[in-house]
Amino acid sequence: MQKEFEVDGIQYVIAFSEASHSIIFYIDALQSKRKVYEQTSLERGFGDEPPDTVWTISEHTRARNIFRILPEVRTFIDNVIARYKPYYFTYSANEPEKEQVYRRFAHNIANRFGYQLHELKPGSFRFYKV
């Protein structure tokens, strides 16, 4: 199951893998209308191509859009749980700056849907159905 949506010219993708029971969230750099990745001089020097997907963007953009992104993510996770009724699933923050938001969101999900929450390592969450 996958959902794509755009906020301020940035194309976001959230997906649930039945095989790994994991939720991933990223930016589709190729579909975004705005530049979301700046290559380093080292990457340019080696002739590297910009990535197709990006896991993070600038603090300024993230802070400005969180209130438009969060409802999309919440609705997607609600739909995943309603459709698949997973016994367990995981998601992880990819940056220390996101851990607090992901932790708060994880507690909300666990409480709303009756999952036991286990933080595997800082920012990495596993939900078990109780």
Side-chain angles (χ1 to χ4, degrees):
M1 182 173 189
Q2 178 173 304
K3 178 179 182 174
E4 298 180 21
F5 60 96
E6 182 181 312
V7 175
D8 285 344
I10 299 172
Q11 187 74 20
Y12 294 92
V13 179
I14 185 166
F16 174 70
S17 167
E18 285 184 83
S20 65
H21 289 260
S22 62
I23 294 174
I24 59 169
F25 181 63
Y26 62 91
I27 295 167
D28 185 331
L30 297 177
Q31 296 298 318
S32 292
K33 295 174 184 162
R34 290 182 37 206
K35 187 174 185 176
V36 294
Y37 184 81
E38 184 68 41
Q39 283 186 297
T40 66
S41 56
L42 184 63
E43 289 171 321
R44 285 191 302 276
F46 279 104
D48 291 344
E49 292 289 325
D52 295 343
T53 60
V54 179
W55 301 97
T56 184
I57 55 176
S58 73
E59 184 68 33
H60 172 70
T61 303
R62 188 178 327 133
R64 186 177 67 207
N65 292 329
I66 192 164
F67 295 109
R68 293 174 57 200
I69 296 168
L70 199 55
E72 296 282 352
V73 172
R74 179 178 286 118
T75 300
F76 179 82
I77 292 174
D78 290 356
N79 290 338
V80 164
I81 292 171
R83 180 176 178 180
Y84 297 103
K85 298 174 182 28
Y87 174 72
Y88 74 94
F89 66 94
T90 63
Y91 76 70
S92 299
N94 61 333
E95 299 176 283
E97 297 84 20
K98 294 180 183 176
E99 289 174 12
Q100 186 66 23
V101 172
Y102 278 51
R103 185 174 292 111
R104 190 175 312 125
F105 195 61
H107 283 284
N108 179 276
I109 292 168
N111 290 335
R112 284 190 313 132
F113 293 102
Y115 281 92
Q116 181 178 358
L117 178 63
H118 180 67
E119 191 165 359
L120 303 171
K121 60 182 181 178
S124 182
F125 305 94
R126 182 171 287 220
F127 302 82
Y128 295 98
K129 192 65 176 169
V130 291

